[in-house]
């Protein structure tokens, strides 16, 4: 769509004011009241539905002015017809201004309009897209502008190309654009562009010159330019990406192709981004001009992925140029004059050019950026003139869920299965890129294990890993139990469970103690299991379900519905920890809390852990954590007693002794011993 704003003025306003009636209600206000404007908008909407050309909407009608906003289908914009149609309803008014606007300006004007059918128009045009939200910002930057394009000749285009150090590839394309073999009117875009430059400013200079040349030859239907930059991980999955591209139809779309790091161990986010972008390019290439930008040496580190784009349209690559010192001097001077600082000392500016004979555009923009940065201190914020930059060391924190999983004590069989899941996701992505058939694979799982065997911890890490590998759309993990799934009244349970599936869409639904849904009390547990079984199938490609619970009770759970077992692809057994593994877990917790263990404490701890293993459902890792917390409490009592007679050192404050653990016991063999709070 192409968007315009028309301003009409009442023809009689000057005569009305001359007669001294400025304080009285005019014929304009009598004739064009709210009811009349509503009727006019209804007529305009009806005409658009019949003809599918231009939708006119009057947003304001005040004093002697009428504001009309017009959305025209590509190739159907007719300025004379639009003016005539508006004048047919406002016969004593004339157009005083018409200008192209962005879709954001058009949408905002309609949203703020006082007339009731504004939302109907927005929905009809499919521009009811969403933008950044407070807690959900767009994973890329998107903005629009209307370019100031005026017709220029081939000779004038050559001068502008010379000014920005135009390369051979750019000048050859200008020759093609101005060729007498072309018809000087718009039928669509035969080619698109791939601009390789060392700086974003240099790339935009090339883009704007291309737009100027194409407009001069009737090759553009709009002056609107939409830029997409700073794509973050997973941007291609965001619904807003397609929405913003859709509303950019008919304009120039400038898109920075940037392959960043952190794309997962196997699946490449950049591969997926280029695949989706290539599909959109194929759909929109006739009426939307795509200009892809590569910042050389920074943007693209995975050139293979570009095949998903360049195979979908005819694309011409344009590179930045180079030139002599004199040409570089002119270009740099022009950039400085266009800046908001102003050019006071030309020699100071030229001193930023390196000492060499040939200059690339990147060299010039680097010099300009250095001059601009110093100019802020030397000319704008003079209090900083003598201040030098100081180096700041930044601590970097990396999100590495796979490494965290591998570092967990024990669970070797669980880790092997997760590696299989990741490998399956990798192969699926590779087959998809090769155009081979892919089947929807169920990744639903059952975690069976005693309390404290890290089932929940693994589920949380697994959700992050699967997102990192692009196997699921989000790393969201929705945790729930019986109390979150079973309703109090008839008909509530199914709706509650479906709401949970919707909440987990694109991620993982973790149902802890799933066996608790099995009951004989007629409290809708069976309904919950049947509903879950059905929704697993309905959300097969959108939600991964993980059931967790005690091994023996989970067997009973699976028997409740014949289809449930077949829908669970992976059964992971979380074995009880051995004494050695429990000791490793304890040492890990001790280290994280910045404590140390006295060597005499080890035999005492080993005896406690051996006794714990003999108990049923003793808590595993959870038991170890509580054991340490009880020991720290006992150590605190001991340190207070010792602190009365001497000054304590930091080493003594961090040391856990055998006696701190000796007072902690699992059972109640000796009634005088302190009982552990979680004893069975």
């Amino acid at each position: 769509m192409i968007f315009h704003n028309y301003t009409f003025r009442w023809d009689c306003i000057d005569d009305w004011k001359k007669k001294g009636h400025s304080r009285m209600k005019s014929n304009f206000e009598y004739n064009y009241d709210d009811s009349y404007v509503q009727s006019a908008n209804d007529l305009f909407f009806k005409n658009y539905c019949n003809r599918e050309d231009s939708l006119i909407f009057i947003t304001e009608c005040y004093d002697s002015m009428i504001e009309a906003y017009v959305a025209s289908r590509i190739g159907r914009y007719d300025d004379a017809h639009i003016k005539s149609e508006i004048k047919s309803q406002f016969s004593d008014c004339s157009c005083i201004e018409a200008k192209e606007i962005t879709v954001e300006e058009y949408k905002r004007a309609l949203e703020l309009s006082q007339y009731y059918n504004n939302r109907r128009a927005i929905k009809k045009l499919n521009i009811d897209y969403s933008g950044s939200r407070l807690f959900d910002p767009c994973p890329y930057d998107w903005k629009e502008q209307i370019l100031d394009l005026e017709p220029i000749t081939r000779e004038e285009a050559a001068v502008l190309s010379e000014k920005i150090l135009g390369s051979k590839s750019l000048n050859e394309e200008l020759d093609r654009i101005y060729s007498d073999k072309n018809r000087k009117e718009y039928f669509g875009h035969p080619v698109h562009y791939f601009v390789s430059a060392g700086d974003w400013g240099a790339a935009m200079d090339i883009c704007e010159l291309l737009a100027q040349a194409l407009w001069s030859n009737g090759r553009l239907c709009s002056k609107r330019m939409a830029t997409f930059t700073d794509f973050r991980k997973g941007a291609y999955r965001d619904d807003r990406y397609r929405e913003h591209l859709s509303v950019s139809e008919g304009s120039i779309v400038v898109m920075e192709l940037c392959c960043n790091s952190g794309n997962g161990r196997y699946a490449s986010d950049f591969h997926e981004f280029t695949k989706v972008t290539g599909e959109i390019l194929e759909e929109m290439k006739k009426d939307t001009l795509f200009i892809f930008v590569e910042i050389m040496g920074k943007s693209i580190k995975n050139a293979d992925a570009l095949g998903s784009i360049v195979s979908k349209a005819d694309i011409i690559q344009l590179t930045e140029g180079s030139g002599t010192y004199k040409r570089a001097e002119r270009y740099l001077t022009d950039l400085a004059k266009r800046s908001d600082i102003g050019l006071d000392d030309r020699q100071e500016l030229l001193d930023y050019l390196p000492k060499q004979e040939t200059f690339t555009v990147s060299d010039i923009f680097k010099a300009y950026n250095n001059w601009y940065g110093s100019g802020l201190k030397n000319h704008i914020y003079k209090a900083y003139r003598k201040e030098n930059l100081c180096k700041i060391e930044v601590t970097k924190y990396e999100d590495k869920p796979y490494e965290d999983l591998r570092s967990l004590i024990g669970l070797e069989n669980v880790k092997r299965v997760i590696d299989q899941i990741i490998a399956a996701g990798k192969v699926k992505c590779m087959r998809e890129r090769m155009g081979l058939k892919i089947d929807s694979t169920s990744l639903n799982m059952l975690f069976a294990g005693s309390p404290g065997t890290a089932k929940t911890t693994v589920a949380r890490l697994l959700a992050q890993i699967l997102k990192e590998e692009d196997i699921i759309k989000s790393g969201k993990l929705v945790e729930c139990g019986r109390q979150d799934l079973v309703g109090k009244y008839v008909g509530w349970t199914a709706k509650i469970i479906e709401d949970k599936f919707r909440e987990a869409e694109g991620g993982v639904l973790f149902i802890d103690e799933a066996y608790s849904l099995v009951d004989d009390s007629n409290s809708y547990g069976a309904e919950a299991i049947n509903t879950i079984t059905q929704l697993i199938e309905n959300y097969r490609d959108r939600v991964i379900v993980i059931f967790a619970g005690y091994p023996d009770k989970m067997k009973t759970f699976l028997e409740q519905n014949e289809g449930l077992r077949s829908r669970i692809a992976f059964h992971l057994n979380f074995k009880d920890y051995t004494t050695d593994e429990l000791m490793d877990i304890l040492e890990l917790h001790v280290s994280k809390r910045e404590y140390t263990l006295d060597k005499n404490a080890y035999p005492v701890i080993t005896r406690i852990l051996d006794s714990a293993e003999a108990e049923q459902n003793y808590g595993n890792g959870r038991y170890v954590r509580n054991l340490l917390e009880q020991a720290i409490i006992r150590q605190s009592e001991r340190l207070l007693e010792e602190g009365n007679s001497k000054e304590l050192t930091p080493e003594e404050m961090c040391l856990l002794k055998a006696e701190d653990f000796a007072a902690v016991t699992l059972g109640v063999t000796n009634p005088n011993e302190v009982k552990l709070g979680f004893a069975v």
Side-chain angles (χ1 to χ4, degrees):
M1 302 293 291
I2 313 299
F3 303 92
H4 289 83
N5 170 219
Y6 284 78
T7 302
F8 277 68
R9 184 172 181 265
W10 186 38
D11 296 335
C12 305
I13 184 62
D14 292 333
D15 291 338
W16 179 262
K17 289 181 178 179
K18 285 178 183 178
K19 293 177 181 179
H21 298 315
S22 57
R23 294 186 179 180
M24 298 173 60
K25 193 171 183 179
S26 68
N27 289 339
F28 178 88
E29 294 171 290
Y30 277 117
N31 295 337
Y32 305 129
D33 59 11
D34 287 350
S35 176
Y36 184 89
V37 176
Q38 297 281 18
S39 298
N41 279 337
D42 286 339
L43 178 62
F44 293 146
F45 188 84
K46 182 179 179 181
N47 290 341
Y48 175 75
C49 292
N50 291 334
R51 298 194 304 259
E52 292 287 321
D53 52 4
S54 295
L55 174 57
I56 301 169
F57 191 93
I58 307 299
T59 61
E60 290 184 272
C61 190
Y62 59 94
D63 294 337
S64 61
M65 308 295 286
I66 297 171
E67 292 294 337
Y69 284 79
V70 183
S72 304
R73 290 201 173 277
I74 299 165
R76 304 294 301 276
Y77 172 65
D78 186 335
D79 176 66
H81 176 75
I82 290 168
K83 290 176 180 176
S84 174
E85 189 168 353
I86 296 174
K87 198 167 179 62
S88 69
Q89 300 301 309
F90 302 90
S91 57
D92 53 356
C93 300
S94 299
C95 182
I96 61 172
E97 184 182 29
K99 61 181 179 180
E100 186 177 358
I101 59 175
T102 66
V103 63
E104 279 284 285
E105 291 173 311
Y106 179 91
K107 182 184 175 187
R108 191 181 308 116
L110 262 66
E111 286 176 335
L112 296 175
S113 173
Q114 61 178 319
Y115 301 116
Y116 70 87
N117 47 10
N118 54 349
R119 295 301 305 175
R120 180 178 63 172
I122 290 173
K123 288 185 178 296
K124 180 68 176 176
L125 297 172
N126 291 321
I127 60 172
D128 195 21
Y129 57 87
S130 57
S132 288
R133 297 176 286 270
L134 180 61
F135 297 107
D136 186 20
C138 276
Y140 54 87
D141 292 338
W142 174 70
K143 69 176 183 178
E144 296 177 293
Q145 61 178 314
I146 302 298
L147 298 176
D148 183 16
L149 302 181
E150 296 294 337
I152 57 173
T153 64
R154 177 65 183 92
E155 290 71 24
E156 290 170 329
V159 171
L160 291 174
S161 177
E162 171 78 10
K163 195 174 181 179
I164 64 172
L165 274 64
S167 64
K168 179 182 178 182
S169 60
L170 176 59
N171 289 314
E172 287 176 347
E173 177 56 18
L174 290 174
D175 286 338
R176 287 188 286 267
I177 292 172
Y178 282 90
S179 173
D180 292 335
K181 298 178 181 179
N182 301 329
R183 292 177 61 172
K184 307 298 182 181
E185 54 186 314
Y186 177 77
F187 289 96
H189 298 293
V191 297
H192 302 266
Y193 300 102
F194 185 95
V195 174
S196 298
D199 182 274
W200 180 256
M204 289 306 297
D205 278 349
I206 295 173
C207 293
E208 290 176 11
L209 177 54
L210 281 173
Q212 194 91 356
L214 291 168
W215 179 262
S216 303
N217 287 271
R219 294 269 299 278
L220 293 177
C221 59
S222 169
K223 296 181 180 181
R224 184 160 47 109
M225 176 184 284
T227 56
F228 292 76
T229 58
D230 194 20
F231 285 95
R232 272 83 79 186
K233 184 173 173 60
Y236 67 91
R237 291 193 298 257
D238 197 295
D239 292 338
R240 288 167 291 188
Y241 181 48
R242 284 187 178 273
E243 290 174 347
H244 282 150
L245 278 169
S246 177
V247 299
S248 300
E249 186 178 18
S251 68
I252 303 169
V253 169
V254 178
M255 184 178 298
E256 180 189 9
L257 295 180
C258 185
C259 175
N260 50 41
S261 57
N263 289 323
R265 292 177 65 242
Y266 294 129
S268 168
D269 191 80
F270 188 59
H271 264 286
E272 297 302 318
F273 167 74
T274 54
K275 187 184 75 169
V276 170
T277 303
E279 293 170 354
I280 297 172
L281 168 64
E282 192 170 30
E283 296 170 7
M284 299 177 60
K285 63 183 179 182
K286 177 184 177 296
D287 291 314
T288 306
L289 178 64
F290 283 84
I291 304 178
F292 299 102
V293 174
E294 168 207 9
I295 305 303
M296 295 184 295
K298 299 179 182 178
S299 294
I300 298 177
K301 302 172 185 176
N302 190 343
D304 293 341
L306 292 180
S308 299
I309 290 178
V310 298
S311 64
K312 302 299 183 182
D314 292 319
I315 296 179
I316 295 175
Q317 183 172 14
L318 306 175
T319 59
E320 67 174 23
S322 60
T324 62
Y325 177 82
K326 286 293 183 184
R327 293 180 65 190
E329 180 183 301
R330 287 196 297 270
Y331 194 1
L332 180 58
T333 302
D334 182 63
L335 289 174
K337 287 180 178 178
R338 283 188 275 162
S339 74
D340 50 9
I341 293 179
L343 183 58
D344 297 329
D345 187 341
R346 188 165 180 267
Q347 188 55 51
E348 178 191 359
L349 168 70
L350 299 180
D351 287 343
Y352 283 92
L353 283 172
K355 306 302 181 184
Q356 56 194 49
E357 296 182 359
T358 304
F359 295 83
T360 65
V361 176
S362 300
D363 294 330
I364 297 167
F365 269 89
K366 183 177 181 181
Y368 168 76
N369 290 332
N370 289 336
W371 169 82
Y372 187 89
S374 67
L376 288 175
K377 292 197 299 181
N378 294 333
H379 303 292
I380 306 298
Y381 306 111
K382 297 181 180 180
Y384 296 95
R385 179 176 291 183
K386 295 182 180 181
E387 296 297 324
N388 294 319
L389 296 176
C390 61
K391 186 177 180 181
I392 299 175
E393 296 292 336
V394 179
T395 303
K396 296 182 179 180
Y397 296 93
E398 296 184 359
D399 184 19
K400 46 184 190 311
Y402 184 81
E403 286 76 6
D404 290 343
L405 176 70
R406 299 302 306 180
S407 67
L408 292 178
I409 305 299
L411 306 176
E412 295 306 321
N413 61 320
V414 173
K415 296 172 185 176
R416 282 195 299 272
V417 174
I418 290 176
D419 280 339
Q420 293 171 8
I421 295 170
I422 296 172
K426 172 187 175 183
V427 172
K428 179 181 177 182
C429 291
M430 292 172 63
R431 287 181 63 88
E432 189 175 6
R433 293 190 198 110
M434 294 177 183
L436 300 175
K437 181 180 179 181
I438 57 172
D439 297 319
S440 58
T441 306
S442 169
L443 296 179
N444 301 313
M445 307 171 209
L446 185 144
F447 288 3
S450 302
T453 49
K455 297 186 293 297
T456 303
T457 300
V458 170
R460 291 169 181 168
L461 291 173
L462 181 58
Q464 297 176 53
I465 294 168
L466 295 180
K467 178 185 182 295
E468 189 178 82
E469 302 300 340
D470 285 333
I471 296 170
I472 58 177
K473 290 186 177 181
S474 74
K476 182 189 296 183
L477 178 78
V478 177
E479 301 179 38
C480 57
R482 177 191 170 89
Q483 70 279 5
D484 304 306
L485 300 174
V486 177
K488 296 181 180 179
Y489 305 104
V490 175
W492 283 24
T493 297
K495 183 181 183 305
I496 291 171
I497 293 174
E498 182 152 18
D499 287 343
K500 285 295 180 184
F501 270 81
R502 286 175 181 163
E503 183 183 350
E505 193 162 354
V508 176
L509 179 63
F510 181 74
I511 303 177
D512 199 11
E513 297 183 354
Y515 54 81
S516 62
L517 295 172
V518 180
D519 60 57
D520 298 320
S521 60
N522 194 28
S523 58
Y524 313 119
E527 180 188 356
I529 295 173
N530 294 336
T531 302
I532 291 169
T533 304
Q534 180 59 50
L535 291 177
I536 285 176
E537 191 63 31
N538 295 348
Y539 285 78
R540 179 182 180 89
D541 297 321
R542 292 174 287 165
V543 176
I544 295 174
V545 180
I546 299 178
F547 301 98
Y550 298 165
D552 52 344
K553 294 183 178 181
M554 291 305 288
K555 292 179 182 178
T556 306
F557 168 71
L558 292 177
E559 293 169 356
Q560 299 303 301
N561 187 295
E562 294 180 359
L564 186 58
R565 186 186 296 272
S566 62
R567 287 174 170 81
I568 300 175
F570 298 94
H571 292 246
L572 284 73
N573 293 316
F574 288 69
K575 299 178 181 178
D576 288 345
Y577 291 110
T578 64
T579 299
D580 290 340
E581 289 172 339
L582 292 172
M583 182 64 79
D584 291 339
I585 293 172
L586 179 66
E587 289 179 328
L588 184 63
H589 285 309
V590 167
S591 175
K592 285 182 177 179
R593 297 192 183 198
E594 296 187 354
Y595 285 92
T596 56
L597 290 175
D598 183 78
K599 63 179 181 179
N600 295 325
Y602 282 92
V604 175
I605 297 171
T606 300
R607 286 198 300 271
I608 294 173
L609 296 179
D610 284 339
S611 300
E613 274 196 279
E615 299 289 337
Q616 186 177 10
N617 298 329
Y618 66 94
N620 283 280
R622 195 174 302 135
Y623 174 88
V624 170
R625 185 174 63 248
N626 291 338
L627 176 67
L628 176 60
E629 289 173 354
Q630 292 285 335
I632 291 173
I633 292 172
R634 182 67 187 91
Q635 184 226 31
S636 300
E637 295 176 341
R638 175 175 57 80
L639 291 177
L640 285 177
E641 295 174 1
E642 294 176 359
N644 292 327
S645 58
K646 66 173 183 177
E647 186 175 343
L648 299 173
T649 65
E651 290 76 15
E652 290 174 318
M653 292 288 292
C654 296
L655 186 65
L656 295 173
K657 296 183 177 181
E659 59 199 86
D660 300 325
F661 291 92
V664 179
T665 179
L666 180 69
V668 288
T669 307
N670 186 346
N672 295 322
E673 291 179 333
V674 178
K675 193 191 307 181
L676 193 63
F678 54 91
V680 178

